[in-house]
Amino acid sequence: MNRTKINAPVDVLIIGAGASGAAVAWSLADTRMRILCLEQGDWQQTSRYPSTGRDWEARQFEDYAISPNRRAMPADYPVNDDDSPIKVANFNGVGGGTILYAGHFPRMHPSDFRVRTLDGVADDWPIDYRTLEPFYALNDRMTGVAALEGDPAYPRKAAVMPPLPLGRTGEVLGQAMNGLGWHWWPSDTAINSRDHEGRAACINLGHCGHGCAQGAKASTDITYWQEAMRARVEVRTRCRVSRIETSEDRMATGAWYFDADGEEVFQPAEIVIMACNGIGTPRILLNSASERFPDGLANSSGQVGRNLMFHPYALVRGRFDQPMDGYRGSRVFMWSMQFYETDPANDFVRGYCYQFTRGAGPVATAINGMADGLLPWGEGHHAAFRSLFDHQAGMVSICEDLPEAINRVTLDPQLRDANGIPAPKITYRLSENTQRMLDHSVARGTEILKAAGARDIVTRAPLSYAGWHLMGTARMGTDPKTSVVNEWGRSHDVKNLFIVDGSVFVTSGGVNPTSTIQAIALYVADQIKARIHDLFD
Amino acid sequence: MTSSIEATTTGPCGLSAGEIECLRCVAGHMIPASAVHGVPGADDDVILADMIRSPGRDGAALAALLRRIDAAAGGRLAALDAAVQVSLLSAMRAEEPAALAVLEAVVCRAYYRDDRVLASIGMEARPPFPLGYKLPTTDWSLLDPVRQRGPLWRPAD
Ligand SMILES: Cc1cc2nc3c(=O)[nH]c(=O)nc-3n(C[C@H](O)[C@H](O)[C@H](O)COP(=O)(O)OP(=O)(O)OC[C@H]3O[C@@H](n4cnc5c(N)ncnc54)[C@H](O)[C@@H]3O)c2cc1C
Ligand code: SF4
């Protein structure tokens, strides 16, 4: 292979332009260092998002499908997830997963950082809620989070703008929760309830999961990246990193990547920051094995790729006699933290949150109805369809997944991407604790829907195409023997290598992770700035 | 969705004439026309043409499935009596629901965007963007009981 093309060096090389890459780039921009981000995907054109066409529901399964294996676009790399009941969902491009995320934006809870101390399982984080609190708040402002202050499930936190409306669905389910005496609250959402920083308010397209054409949902291509580029950070797209190079003194010297023409290029850098997510980051670290680092880069602990956590989901959906919101409205609007904390009465430790859901468009209503056995073929189809369409609602539970060394990302010995880089292979099984938690959430969810007057209740657990939260595969810790990065995101083994994505999670909590991922990225950036004079000591 | 193509020739997605014939037959059984609701069946010419044009990433799986259905029917599903067609299809659905799900997805994606069908279920025939939709405003006093119960989070210090 002819490895001759070498770029001019940069001070900071960020790999991956998703949720965390954007936040760390923006925060570091005020240092005036030369910062470059390499991203394997491209910028999105909002005019191509599914909601702009009459065939909007069909297009959700095409170029904006959540599975990289189904999309198989030039930006995507294949993922072998045959050995996992939960399949990986992601998006590769500027904005990363935030292009497709629903924008449900809960923070982790104070107890999430202390699970060993409180519940005797897994490990405590080396940082806590209080460490991250200012960065959560900063991230909320940069993102534009809609919320209602005063949620009793959290320590006090400020709202950037009013919450999104509950719609009929939220009102019916909220009343049911009140009847049961259980907690619920309008969700914190990364969706504008009113115009914010030049981005328009949500117009209830209901398309958040496949790209928001309105720009109301805070994907990082239209939030952090716009500001970072104005501050001269460079984003170089269609550049896929294959490996990190190191020097004799065990420092990273830069990264090899394939450019848009498939040419291999070396990018020298003083500091390398990984932001490729909980699967992309261990993949590149493992593929960077060398004589100096035979088990993969930053892997003297053997923890790179291990402890993969997904947040197994359960779904509970019911049919109501009265019309609900159907396909109208943001996908996320209301949560419950009633079963979040460990309860000694349960047969599992830790807990989950509920994210309530509205109905779906006509196509999804029909496809789900057939799969659920509620919609027959033939004569009865039309009447049954009309009783479901606009009349369904429910919830998903987001269950805390505890770290286990056997759940892991390795390099697939055969499967490779278009540039010949080995694909990640996922080995994952549900633990008994998680299975019990899923069962509990299905039972309580069914109770909620019954209390709300729903019938024809269907449940699924775990949801298989729901591996969208990718965490734990390069965990944070103070002990180099059991963790990959230290308490401020620097690799124990390679002193100018940082990781800021979901890989560094010690435990997963039972909430969507992006707010925490970005708070950590901002915190690590802050640590880099504060320690800049002795950063590599 | 208004344009139509001759559904008996090879479709632009690569389905053969035989596969298209089978698809029409299955689609008609899945979602038949209804005089009560005033809607065409999924085997309507315009809807079928849309379906043939747009199986997207399911094209290969769809073609393979249609060939299997014809093979199970002894050559041509469409050549059998309607009652035999129905029992063969329901047996296949019961045996391998996941395989038939591809067919359901392809049929529903085209059927439930047809102007006539949308009008019948009370939906405007337009993309969601840029007009969006309206949601009623919320009376937040609904949260009073939650507020009254007080803090729920677990201190960790
Ligand atoms: C359908 C869906 C719904 C979701 N809903 C929610 C939600 O409601 N709330 C929530 O909190 N989270 C949600 N998520 C998860 C959320 O998107 C992720 O948590 C978040 O984007 C992760 O941030 P990250 O920076 O770790 O990685 P990502 O955002 O995934 O970014 C990684 C980036 O790195 C790039 N990259 C990877 N490898 C390479 C390489 N070798 N070279 C160059 N570039 C590379 C990728 O192309 C990608 O752009 C959802 C995700 C999906 C897919
Ligand atoms: S519901 Fe709001 S945030 Fe979601 S896609 Fe529509 S406009 Fe965007």
Side-chain angles (χ1 to χ4, degrees), chain A residues 51 54-55 58 62-63 70-71 73 119 130 152-153 166 178 182 203-205 327 377-378 381-382 386, chain B residues 29-30 32 57-58 93 104 111-113 115 120 123 128-130 132-133 138 142 149 152-154 157:
Chain A
S51 65
R54 282 289 311 280
D55 51 353
E62 299 298 326
D63 294 356
R70 178 164 176 106
R71 279 194 314 268
M73 299 287 281
D119 295 319
R130 215 169 284 157
L166 291 178
N178 284 348
W182 288 348
I203 50 170
N204 302 310
L205 301 176
Y327 51 90
W377 285 26
H381 176 90
H382 298 288
R386 280 154 183 76
Chain B
H29 284 297
M30 192 185 298
R57 284 161 171 79
D58 289 321
R93 278 185 81 202
E104 292 174 340
Y111 186 76
Y112 281 107
R113 65 184 178 216
D115 292 1
S120 143
M123 255 184 103
F129 185 78
Y133 304 101
T138 302
L142 193 56
R149 282 196 298 275
L152 187 70
W153 60 280
R154 186 178 178 195
D157 295 330

Side-chain angles (χ1 to χ4, degrees), chain A residues 51 102 164 190-192 201-209 211-218 328-331, chain B residues 129:
Chain A
S51 65
L164 294 172
I191 295 176
N192 283 353
C202 171
I203 50 170
N204 302 310
L205 301 176
H207 262 263
C208 330
C212 175
Q214 169 80 344
K217 188 188 74 169
R328 303 166 204 85
S330 63
R331 296 210 171 163
Chain B
F129 185 78

Side-chain angles (χ1 to χ4, degrees), chain A residues 14 37 53 68 113 121 123 142 152 170 235 262 296 309 431 442 516-517 536:
Chain A
I14 300 167
C37 176
F113 299 88
V121 290
D123 282 304
M142 286 301 295
V235 184
M309 297 174 282
S431 72
V442 166
T516 304
I517 290 174
F536 308 141

